[in-house]
Amino acid sequence: GAVVSQHPSRVICKSGTSVKIECRSLDFQATTMFWYRQFPKKSLMLMATSNEGSKATYEQGVEKDKFLINHASLTLSTLTVTSAHPEDSSFYICSASFRRLAGNYEQYFGPGTRLTVT
Amino acid sequence: GIQVEQSPPDLILQEGANSTLRCNFSDSVNNLQWFHQNPWGQLINLFYIPSGTKQNGRLSATTVATERYSLLYISSSQTTDSGVYFCAVKIWGTGNQFYFGTGTSLTVIP
């Protein structure tokens, strides 16, 4: 199947700093990328949907100024957590989607990034 | 909003036992998938099953879309089956994003 990578796999940063997480589709062009957040022992919560070249659509309750999402190309989306606080510590997962010729969409998930804010 | 509830939330099995995991959803769906999240956090797609029944080895799944539920069957469980199982749905008219269920944490003991 298709491969989606995330970098870094884990990161520790100090409160007040910003951290960027990259999501890449390695062998396909992703028209849409999604960002999810997962708290320990909890489900995945959709944060935002981004389409290449346009602004991301954020889910209700997600601060767009805190979680900056950029989808600059068909293979790369970035999530920047700005002015990080300990409560932003979480597991962040991206997924990338493309449309097959048959018309159906396929979606693949990255391995996740564990963020710890001290 | 969409509700996707899974049961049981936690399950402990002896190796070799069978189990059934359930996923109930509150809206009509155009896509339903079952995932296994391994201990490292990677989501592994098990089944694409918006309706009907599929089997893959020791795993099988059934979705009854009209009654808004899906079942995942694990037979002859192995310790490597441990992890969290999620169902995720896509809803008609709401775009291409998945909405994940609450998850079932499975532990298979030798």
Side-chain angles (χ1 to χ4, degrees), chain A residues 68-115:
Chain A
L68 301 179
I69 291 171
N70 184 279
H71 191 165
S73 77
L74 286 171
T75 59
L76 173 65
S77 177
T78 59
L79 167 67
T80 302
V81 182
T82 62
S83 187
H85 288 281
E87 57 264 31
D88 298 326
S89 299
S90 196
F91 192 56
Y92 292 89
I93 302 174
C94 75
S95 71
S97 173
F98 68 96
R99 189 172 186 177
R100 288 202 171 275
L101 288 174
N104 59 307
Y105 287 90
E106 292 210 17
Q107 193 170 136
Y108 295 90
F109 287 81
T113 296
R114 189 161 304 282
L115 169 64

Side-chain angles (χ1 to χ4, degrees), chain A residues 34 36 38 42-44 46 59 91 93 97 105 107 109-111, chain B residues 35 37 40-43 86 90 96-103:
Chain A
F34 305 90
Y36 295 85
Q38 186 178 28
K42 297 290 185 185
S43 185
L44 280 75
L46 179 66
E59 293 296 298
F91 192 56
I93 302 174
S97 173
Y105 287 90
Q107 193 170 136
F109 287 81
Chain B
F35 294 91
Q37 188 172 38
W40 299 272
Q42 177 74 63
L43 285 165
F86 290 105
K90 293 184 183 180
N96 199 27
Q97 63 268 32
F98 276 113
Y99 293 95
F100 279 78
T102 48

Side-chain angles (χ1 to χ4, degrees), chain A residues 17-91:
Chain A
T17 62
S18 294
V19 61
K20 181 186 287 188
I21 302 169
E22 292 186 347
C23 175
R24 292 182 186 272
S25 55
L26 298 185
D27 50 3
F28 64 98
Q29 293 187 322
T31 49
T32 306
M33 287 187 170
F34 305 90
W35 287 95
Y36 295 85
R37 181 175 181 177
Q38 186 178 28
F39 290 102
K41 299 190 184 299
K42 297 290 185 185
S43 185
L44 280 75
M45 180 191 78
L46 179 66
M47 298 174 68
T49 303
S50 75
N51 295 299
E52 185 262 339
S54 62
K55 288 186 178 180
T57 301
Y58 289 80
E59 293 296 298
Q60 196 170 9
V62 178
E63 299 175 62
K64 47 184 82 171
D65 293 333
K66 178 155 193 66
F67 299 100
L68 301 179
I69 291 171
N70 184 279
H71 191 165
S73 77
L74 286 171
T75 59
L76 173 65
S77 177
T78 59
L79 167 67
T80 302
V81 182
T82 62
S83 187
H85 288 281
E87 57 264 31
D88 298 326
S89 299
S90 196
F91 192 56

Side-chain angles (χ1 to χ4, degrees), chain B residues 15-93:
Chain B
E15 197 169 26
N18 304 327
S19 65
T20 301
L21 281 56
R22 187 177 179 102
C23 171
N24 291 330
F25 42 94
S26 60
D27 288 58
S28 295
V29 302
N30 62 4
N31 186 340
L32 187 146
Q33 293 188 221
W34 282 96
F35 294 91
H36 176 214
Q37 188 172 38
N38 68 21
W40 299 272
Q42 177 74 63
L43 285 165
I44 299 161
N45 183 28
L46 298 176
F47 290 104
Y48 164 74
I49 186 159
S51 63
T53 297
K54 288 186 178 178
Q55 177 151 12
N56 184 4
R58 295 182 297 103
L59 303 182
S60 63
T62 296
T63 297
V64 183
T66 52
E67 297 186 22
R68 299 187 180 172
Y69 74 89
S70 183
L71 302 174
L72 177 69
Y73 306 96
I74 304 174
S75 64
S76 303
S77 57
Q78 301 175 358
T79 55
T80 51
D81 295 332
S82 296
V84 184
Y85 289 81
F86 290 105
C87 66
V89 302
K90 293 184 183 180
I91 307 298
W92 289 105

